[in-house]
Amino acid sequence: MTADVAIIGLGYVGLPLAQEASRAGLGVLGYDISQRVVDGLNEGRSHVDDLSDDDIEQMRQAGFRATTDAAEIGGAKTVVICVPTPLSEDGGPDLRPVESAVATIAENLQPGMLVILESTTYPGTTDEVVRPVLEKGGLVAGTDFHLAFSPERIDPGNETFGAKNTPKVVGGHSPACTDAAAAFYGRFVDTVVRAKGTREAETAKLLENTYRHINIALVNEMARFCHDLGIDLWDVIAAAKTKPFGFQAFYPGPGVGGHCIPIDPNYLSYNVRAKLGYPFRFVELAQEINATMPAYIVQRAQNILNEDAKALKGATVLLLGVTYKPNIADQRESPAVPLAQQLLAKGAVVTYHDPHVTEWTAAGDQVQRVEDLEQGVREADLTILVQNHREYDVDALASQAVAFFDTRGVAADGEKVQRL
């Protein structure tokens, strides 16, 4: 069976891509090594926040099908790699999922096929890691098949920008490869942006998230000294962002999470050190600042309790929202995890509530879920707003709390409220 595109990896990146391609009338085959994921999709069940079961059913009606049979990849005109690239123990990218996907494609590579890597990685991966494996069988990139990189820009939970209306950057191994990738994405993405080559496209993705990482670190560091100086940083940011040029508002928080900001800049920093022998100091400083925010939140929590003549040890601390961003269930790299771990290490009794997370085991089995939110807030010695889900009436919760620590700057001023 032939398909217009086979998408390798059916998670937060691959599945929205499959949805848009299906909507545009392309024949889409989804490949994943997880039998559970494949069976669920073929039965019409979604496992990611941005797609509902109805969305999956519409994809199925349009011809989408998932499989664990790698041989079916050989019947696709285009193959897109959308597998995760977490950090390895030494701080560099763990390319094993990419290497596994590429090896699978190499076994099924056909002349004329277009292969695109979307997984975030360091500059040079497409040319130095992907291409040699694909060429082992004798086919040559740029001559016998097309090869390109196109960074994923999926933002889980974003109701404004999705796979279709977010501009798509593409960079090919050759100009003809770029043209082939641009033509493919142009069938279902509104705007396609051509980069000079694969390295430029790879680096563009890292620049985007490094920019965010560094600016978040800037306001996180400002949050600390503004608190010590008695300055309301949230008011400062509100005033500064009225400037219509030269400023973009970033906001402090309890740390950074998700699949991009805590990880992607490290790819660039690792690559610079490995290849050039010197540090990318901005990234390493930003990482240091952002990684210490949970510890700073614990310190502030301890101080808030001290003001009420309470010790952190033995106090009940309720965490509101444990996902990495609001209004979704995604917990990847959530700062709530180190926050809970450090509170527990200091002897606090930690509980949590999250409308999107019914079971939270990331911090061990010591953190119990509060089922009655209002009762939990009233009974806790300190309530910390870690993630501001739309389901929370923050001011109402703050009014019922013994003490309320707002790390997101959304609660109105009040005697019980302290803000980051």
Side-chain angles (χ1 to χ4, degrees):
M1 176 182 174
T2 60
D4 291 306
V5 58
I7 296 175
I8 313 299
L10 299 174
Y12 284 87
V13 175
L15 209 52
L17 185 70
Q19 180 187 36
E20 289 302 335
S22 295
R23 284 174 172 172
L26 277 68
V28 182
L29 175 71
Y31 173 84
D32 202 284
I33 60 174
S34 170
Q35 191 67 54
R36 177 187 60 82
V37 167
V38 166
D39 290 343
L41 291 172
N42 287 333
E43 293 168 5
R45 297 194 306 273
S46 175
H47 59 280
V48 302
D49 287 297
D50 288 346
L51 277 75
S52 65
D53 290 351
D54 288 342
D55 291 328
I56 301 301
E57 184 57 36
Q58 290 174 13
M59 290 167 61
R60 292 178 65 236
Q61 291 177 7
F64 169 79
R65 183 173 56 85
T67 185
T68 57
D69 183 1
E72 294 197 53
I73 296 171
K77 299 174 183 177
T78 297
V79 182
V80 185
I81 303 170
C82 299
V83 297
T85 46
L87 290 179
S88 61
E89 292 183 0
D90 64 355
D94 182 353
L95 291 183
R96 286 176 296 180
V98 170
E99 292 167 346
S100 177
V102 173
T104 299
I105 295 169
E107 294 173 356
N108 299 279
L109 186 66
Q110 303 297 322
M113 187 178 281
L114 166 63
V115 179
I116 304 172
L117 176 63
E118 283 208 8
S119 305
T120 304
T121 184
Y122 61 83
T125 301
T126 306
D127 188 57
E128 299 167 6
V129 176
V130 177
R131 182 175 62 84
V133 175
L134 295 179
E135 290 184 338
K136 279 185 177 178
L139 298 179
V140 178
T143 301
D144 302 309
F145 68 94
H146 294 300
L147 176 64
F149 181 82
S150 179
E152 61 89 2
R153 283 174 160 177
I154 296 297
D155 184 20
N158 192 321
E159 298 175 358
T160 303
F161 291 102
K164 186 178 191 306
N165 65 346
T166 300
K168 203 80 174 76
V169 173
V170 298
H173 175 67
S174 68
C177 292
T178 300
D179 290 342
F184 165 70
Y185 286 115
R187 297 178 67 179
F188 57 93
V189 177
D190 293 342
T191 304
V192 176
V193 180
R194 286 172 164 83
K196 187 176 181 179
T198 57
R199 282 176 167 81
E200 286 75 15
E202 289 163 340
T203 309
K205 167 68 173 179
L206 300 182
L207 175 60
E208 294 169 17
N209 286 327
T210 299
Y211 169 81
R212 293 176 61 195
H213 189 50
I214 289 171
N215 280 282
I216 291 170
L218 170 64
V219 293
N220 275 338
E221 189 160 38
M222 288 190 72
R224 302 187 189 201
F225 69 71
C226 280
H227 172 71
D228 291 339
L229 294 173
I231 298 170
D232 186 338
L233 177 61
W234 303 96
D235 191 61
V236 170
I237 296 172
K241 74 177 184 180
T242 61
K243 185 179 181 181
F245 54 89
F247 181 82
Q248 181 181 355
F250 287 83
Y251 298 92
V256 292
H259 61 299
C260 290
I261 304 303
I263 297 174
D264 295 1
N266 287 308
Y267 295 161
L268 195 52
S269 178
Y270 180 87
N271 195 232
V272 169
R273 275 192 177 273
K275 290 193 172 183
L276 302 178
Y278 53 79
F280 190 170
R281 289 181 293 172
F282 265 122
V283 168
E284 295 184 5
L285 179 58
Q287 180 66 21
E288 177 186 335
I289 293 169
N290 289 334
T292 59
M293 285 307 291
Y296 175 69
I297 298 300
V298 172
Q299 177 191 328
R300 287 283 305 276
Q302 193 166 18
N303 292 342
I304 292 169
L305 288 167
N306 283 343
E307 292 173 6
D308 288 336
K310 296 178 181 178
L312 179 57
K313 184 176 182 179
T316 299
V317 180
L318 170 61
L319 305 181
L320 298 183
V322 296
T323 59
Y324 90 88
K325 67 182 300 187
N327 310 320
I328 64 172
D330 195 342
Q331 302 170 43
R332 288 175 293 175
E333 306 298 326
S334 171
V337 176
L339 175 57
Q341 291 172 337
Q342 293 181 43
L343 286 168
L344 289 168
K346 289 187 176 294
V349 177
V350 182
T351 59
Y352 89 97
H353 179 274
D354 193 304
H356 302 275
V357 181
T358 55
E359 292 186 11
W360 191 46
T361 58
D365 58 3
Q366 300 178 70
V367 182
Q368 299 299 313
R369 187 177 195 272
V370 167
E371 300 300 333
D372 186 325
L373 175 57
E374 293 185 355
Q375 181 180 345
V377 168
R378 288 193 298 267
E379 293 178 351
D381 295 293
L382 174 63
T383 299
I384 304 178
L385 180 67
V386 183
Q387 194 54 263
N388 182 30
H389 294 301
R390 65 167 63 96
E391 290 88 348
Y392 290 147
D393 184 339
V394 174
D395 289 338
L397 293 173
S399 68
Q400 298 176 61
V402 176
F404 194 89
F405 185 17
D406 174 16
T407 72
R408 296 296 178 178
V410 293
D413 291 335
E415 291 184 5
K416 301 177 179 180
V417 174
Q418 290 203 31
R419 294 193 289 182
L420 180 62

